[in-house]
Amino acid sequence: MPVFILAGLLVHCVFLVSIFDIYFSSPLVHGMTPQQTPLPPPAKRLVLFVADGLRADSLYELNSNGTPRAPYLRSILENNGSWGISHTRVPTESRPGHVALIAGFYEDVSAVAKGWKENPVEFDSVFNESKYTWSWGSPDILPMFAKGASGDHVYTFCYAAESEDFGAEDAAKLDIWVFDHVKSFFNSSRSNQTLFSALNEEKVVLFLHLLGIDTNGHAHRPNSREYQENIKQVDEGVKEIASLIDNFYGNDGKTAFILTSDHGMTDWGSHGAGHPSETLTPLIVWGAGVNYPQKVTSQFFEDNFLKEWKLENLKRLDVNQADIAPLMASLIGVPFPLNSVGTLPLEYLNSSAHFKAESMFTNAVQILEQFKVKMSQKKKTTLSFLFTPFKPLSDSEQINLLKKIRLYIQQQKYDEAVSLCKTLINLALEGLSYYHTYDRLFLGLSIAVGFVGWTTYVILVIIKAHTNLTKTVPTNKKKSPFLFYGFASAGMIIAFFLLIQTCPWTYYVYCLLPVPVWYAVVREIPVIQDLATNVLSLHIGQSIGFLLVCILGIEILVFSFFYRSALTIGLLVFAGWPVITQLWIQAKTKALIWTLLCVFLAIFPLMPVVGREPNIPLVIAAGLLTLLISFFSLASLCKSENKYKDNEDLKVYFYQLFSVALSTYVVSSTHNSLKNKQGLPVMNQIISWMTLVSSPVLLLLSPTFLFHRLFSILLSLMSTYLLLSTGYEALFPLALFGLMFAWINMEQEALQHYGLSLKQKLTVFNFTYAMDITQFRQLHLDDVRRSFFFVFFIVTAFFGTGNIASINSFDPASVYCFLTVFSPFMMGALLLLKVAIPFVLVSCAFEAIQVTTQLSSKSLFLIVLVISDIMALHFFFLVKDYGSWLDIGTSISHYVLVMSLTIFMMVMNGLAQLLTTQRLGLPRRTKHHST
């Protein structure tokens, strides 16, 4: 079993990682020649303000009394500059957002996991191409552009990382720090001749990264007073800095200003996925070389924002986020970043038609250069007879288009030149995408073949080892060497084929994985033949009916990823299970409890998702309810005639109860402190971390009797879960544990009902009793239903707590008892723990069912694996990289989530065994018992 689990983990990790290689690998190529507009630029310097986490609607919409939230910026877009919406892409995180803004390309989705502070890949940027860049702001953002720059001309000024505190009195102080340091920087330059001279050079960039809005959004939500006040402070700060810079340069009219954001934010203060609240960010441009506001009588956009913002009569110029990099490069006359895929938004420029045409031509040649390098790379790594070029942009077509554009510019037909440049850019971008996704079909088929092979193999293992359907298959039949040599030859041919094409090592993994998997399947041909014979002898109607029920069940699970309410329907069907199977006749009380708990749990998927306001009284109520139920349970345990009971065991329970009470107090105290802007109390933080560490230890000190250990698991997990809760989800583990408790009892009744086993007394059942392997029974059709129940409860454990199938569905407020200073990986780990706790409850209950129903843990788990793999295969084919970014982000999230659940279930299977069977022995005082 351990070998099989390791093999399963390895295979599923490959399947999970493959999605990023197939759909979201890095788009970067190297070896291009820098391209620069030959005409003098309109601006000598550029000031870039990035208000991190600022939503477009939050800036543009008016207050309830009709006044603008940002008066200065509103006056700019109405009187001095151009404005619009910058459309960002998934993942809507700070690092990829800034890379798109400053370097002009979109990082692959997996880059978000590679760190905020380091460069997974080297890339060119506007900062790198500038003469000098000075930047102020967060230590998470600025260093990556300085580190990626060639030479020593990008200077950074950062505050301490500890300043990024979600529990701080006011995060706007981060922005005030930036504004104050910029002011003192310019003041000091007057007495520093070297700095003064550098500031008066051309091609200078000043970058102000303003993190306060993002921090306040995480801490208080975007609709909060703090978030909106921070916008006002940023507006005042921008006004002061713009005035300071204009005065410093003697109002020479050679400064261009850009204000935008790296990403937006959901109503509940998170970002990462593709919801419009995350992908729509503001863009306001003014100063040298920038168009003045353009009055219009009507304009059409799919959204209705213009009317809401009272901006219907001012032309809205929307761009893609990567388009801002070529705009900045054009304004100050630096070469376009080498890897930029942005298209210069000409409508923002207030310059001659000749300058616009030359700038667009530079933009087109710069993107065409990338296309040529990409094509050359792909041609080198593909056999000549297999290579299919991108026909719309052949060598002759490239030369033809470039000649035409140059001729139009010479003839001063600038509009025609610009139009042709846009055609060339679109073709080059299509070609880049074509070569970037060249191997997609080939890799996708390899993974799909491996997926189907693995699932088939697991089904055959179940049938061969755990059922009576293949009684005639000989176990000692000599294996044919020809079969092995055949598959080994196929593997060598595939490896040779990949070698001569100099493919990356990951291609070898994806393409060779199906070979051993299908070899294992083909070796079981006698099992398949025997199975076919046995199936044909069964009642056809029953077989088809069973198959249809299985398909329907899996489709409901798949459907639940799109609509959480599907789980409610499933739970209501489960509630009727005792009636459908006549189980209620032999166990009326247990059946009634099961039905009531199913109905109660069915309410949770209908509750609001994470975009809710914190409800700490509900968390406190959950803690008190846990204590109340625990005291009643302990009282009944003390009264029961249990010869294994002793005082040491009771002490463990009382320690756990104290831990739950302490957690309840810490949650209340911490949120009160944060509400009053007093920060996270140090003592509360210490208690929280100590609870997290001590909970599993206390759990392992408890007795290993079935209900004793499960009760202890609940108390340990609840003490940690309460600290990570902000609302109704705190009640969820209690409801789930109640249903799991009823499930264990109902499965005993089901065993007796089908005559598979005698009814055992669960109260004296001990997890550590070694079960004789001869006592394990073979799988029954009802065991498929047991496994389906487990997968269904695992999915419910995720969606029932208010999560949605998206990477932005987690509320950062959940971790405030542990830390409030921004630490993405620590916060991510704690949120992952919160997700895992309900999984552990379900897994431990499933472990109890496996043991009490006399099944080897392997047999039921294999059925679970098949069900989850069929779901994963569904989502593999549903992954897409086209359409809206909401669709793309959701499709990635679904596949990653279902694959993670599958890998999680493998890990949980082992963890559940550890938590239920292991017990730490402590030295105890010798006691004398009367006999």
Side-chain angles (χ1 to χ4, degrees), residues 95 99 162 259 295 344 404 420 490 635 688 690 741 772 844:
R95 184 203 153 82
V99 168
E162 293 73 32
L259 180 132
K295 302 285 183 184
L344 177 63
K404 268 189 181 177
L420 213 52
S688 297
M690 283 179 66
F741 190 86
D772 183 1
C844 290

Side-chain angles (χ1 to χ4, degrees), residues 606-739:
L606 298 175
M607 298 289 274
V609 292
V610 284
R612 56 182 181 267
E613 283 300 308
N615 192 334
I616 302 307
L618 267 181
V619 182
I620 296 166
L624 295 175
L625 192 59
T626 306
L627 291 172
L628 189 66
I629 292 167
S630 302
F631 280 123
F632 276 115
S633 303
L634 273 179
S636 65
L637 278 175
C638 291
K639 284 179 187 174
S640 65
E641 293 285 329
N642 189 346
K643 62 181 177 181
Y644 299 102
K645 175 191 64 112
D646 64 35
N647 292 331
E648 295 295 328
D649 296 339
L650 283 175
K651 278 183 187 174
V652 171
Y653 291 130
F654 282 119
Y655 287 140
Q656 289 183 304
L657 286 172
F658 177 69
S659 182
V660 170
L662 204 57
S663 294
T664 308
Y665 165 74
V666 166
V667 169
S668 174
S669 167
T670 300
H671 283 271
N672 279 336
S673 177
L674 293 175
K675 197 175 177 182
N676 297 326
K677 296 189 178 177
Q678 294 169 347
L680 169 60
V682 177
M683 185 53 70
N684 288 12
Q685 191 175 17
I686 292 167
I687 292 168
S688 297
W689 285 107
M690 283 179 66
T691 302
L692 181 66
V693 173
S694 64
S695 291
V697 178
L698 285 173
L699 187 163
L700 294 173
L701 291 172
S702 66
T704 53
F705 293 103
L706 190 136
F707 291 140
H708 293 65
R709 178 51 66 96
L710 289 178
F711 175 57
S712 181
I713 288 169
L714 173 71
L715 291 179
S716 272
L717 296 180
M718 272 304 286
S719 58
T720 304
Y721 198 82
L722 286 168
L723 293 169
L724 293 165
S725 297
T726 59
Y728 71 81
E729 81 271 22
L731 292 164
F732 182 76
L734 275 180
L736 185 66
F737 179 76
L739 187 59

Side-chain angles (χ1 to χ4, degrees), residues 237-270:
V238 169
K239 181 182 178 180
E240 288 174 17
I241 298 300
S243 174
L244 171 82
I245 289 170
D246 283 340
N247 292 335
F248 182 85
Y249 290 106
N251 293 301
D252 65 353
K254 289 290 180 181
T255 310
F257 297 90
I258 294 179
L259 180 132
T260 187
S261 175
D262 53 348
H263 56 76
M265 189 173 283
T266 60
D267 288 339
W268 54 93
S270 71

Side-chain angles (χ1 to χ4, degrees), residues 312-419:
E312 308 99 306
N313 300 322
L314 287 174
K315 192 167 186 182
R316 170 178 149 186
L317 307 170
D318 282 17
V319 300
N320 290 319
Q321 195 172 40
D323 299 343
I324 295 170
L327 175 63
M328 292 193 287
S330 181
L331 284 169
I332 57 171
V334 299
F336 286 33
L338 293 173
N339 300 110
S340 171
V341 292
T343 304
L344 177 63
L346 287 178
E347 288 181 293
Y348 275 89
L349 294 178
N350 181 19
S351 49
S352 67
H354 185 199
F355 181 83
K356 288 181 180 179
E358 286 286 3
S359 296
M360 277 306 283
F361 184 59
T362 305
N363 193 183
V365 172
Q366 171 260 324
I367 293 175
L368 185 63
E369 281 281 311
Q370 292 181 73
F371 167 80
K372 285 175 170 176
V373 172
K374 195 81 174 175
M375 183 178 73
S376 169
Q377 285 180 354
K378 190 47 66 182
K379 208 170 184 178
K380 272 183 196 171
T381 60
T382 309
L383 296 172
S384 55
F385 67 91
L386 289 174
F387 181 72
T388 311
F390 181 66
K391 289 172 185 171
L393 205 53
S394 60
D395 290 349
S396 59
E397 186 62 23
Q398 289 175 40
I399 294 164
N400 183 35
L401 283 168
L402 290 171
K403 277 183 179 175
K404 268 189 181 177
I405 295 166
R406 183 44 67 197
L407 186 64
Y408 280 143
I409 291 173
Q410 286 168 359
Q411 294 172 346
Q412 297 185 2
K413 294 179 179 177
Y414 299 125
D415 289 343
E416 289 89 338
V418 166
S419 177

Side-chain angles (χ1 to χ4, degrees), residues 156-178:
T156 61
F157 304 92
C158 308
Y159 38 73
E162 293 73 32
S163 303
E164 298 173 25
D165 189 348
F166 295 156
E169 191 173 328
D170 189 2
K173 67 181 182 184
L174 299 175
D175 300 339
I176 293 165
W177 185 98
V178 170

